[in-house]
Amino acid sequence: DDPDTLTEITTYHKRHGELPFRYDGDNWPYDTVCERQKRRGVVNCQYLTPDATAAEMASLARQYADGWGHVLDACCGTGQITKELLKRGFEVSAFDIDWLVRSLIPGGRAVLLLPKGYVDKERPKALACNLSRLKILHRSAVTEKFVHTKGVFEIVVMEKISTNQ
């Protein structure tokens, strides 16, 4: 069988020094996962951040960094945002899990790509409780079209509220 997952393709690439398919682009992990989603019938959702949106998020991270040089990329997926953060000189810790409130220290900030209105939710209660521990510093609509989705998204910069407040 041909390699199918990112792990399988990366292993193949390391062993053979080439990808198991013809590729002329500049971001094979992103393009491969988009194509894999399409082949599997994923049409109404996308968990991959397009290039221009990732660049915008990294620019916002630089704007709101307040001198911090280390950032956390939660839910990093194929590393679109991590790649842009590294270009801007950040040291990045990335993981593919969404424990944002627990991961941030008080005063820590996050630049997130979310479905529009997600931070306004009041249910479920656990989500609303976690969101109440974060202060919104910036919100902007995403104008770039995603490859596989009809959803509407926004970029939100949030800061964990100090437990002393």
Side-chain angles (χ1 to χ4, degrees):
D1 287 333
D2 289 331
D4 187 48
T5 67
L6 277 180
T7 303
E8 292 170 354
I9 294 168
T10 300
T11 300
Y12 182 96
H13 185 265
K14 285 180 180 178
R15 280 194 192 136
H16 302 285
E18 64 183 12
L19 294 169
F21 47 83
R22 184 166 185 259
Y23 183 70
D24 297 321
D26 64 352
N27 192 348
W28 71 264
Y30 177 81
D31 292 336
T32 298
V33 173
C34 285
E35 184 59 34
R36 185 172 188 257
Q37 281 184 321
K38 188 171 28 173
R39 283 194 324 263
R40 295 180 188 275
V42 176
V43 293
N44 289 326
C45 66
Q46 176 177 328
Y47 303 102
L48 306 168
T49 309
D51 289 333
T53 299
E56 181 180 352
M57 293 175 73
S59 291
L60 283 165
R62 174 56 59 213
Q63 179 182 337
Y64 286 93
D66 285 343
W68 293 26
H70 189 102
V71 296
L72 177 69
D73 183 3
C75 304
C76 64
T78 60
Q80 291 295 100
I81 299 168
T82 297
K83 178 180 78 171
E84 293 297 327
L85 290 165
L86 291 169
K87 282 182 187 176
R88 286 159 179 78
F90 284 104
E91 182 180 329
V92 182
S93 294
F95 58 91
D96 202 20
I97 193 163
D98 58 355
W99 295 354
L100 178 65
V101 174
R102 285 189 240 162
S103 299
L104 287 176
I105 62 169
R109 296 178 178 170
V111 180
L112 304 168
L113 177 65
L114 299 170
K116 185 174 180 171
Y118 185 84
V119 296
D120 302 319
K121 288 183 162 233
E122 295 179 10
R123 295 240 178 251
K125 278 188 169 184
L127 173 64
C129 179
N130 279 332
L131 289 172
S132 73
R133 296 178 185 147
L134 301 167
K135 176 173 70 173
I136 297 172
L137 301 177
H138 171 90
R139 285 175 95 163
S140 59
V142 172
T143 57
E144 183 179 20
K145 299 292 183 201
F146 280 37
V147 176
H148 295 294
T149 188
K150 296 175 184 167
V152 179
F153 297 90
E154 63 184 338
I155 297 172
V156 182
V157 180
M158 302 182 86
E159 178 179 271
K160 185 170 183 179
I161 299 169
S162 173
T163 55
N164 298 333
Q165 291 180 341

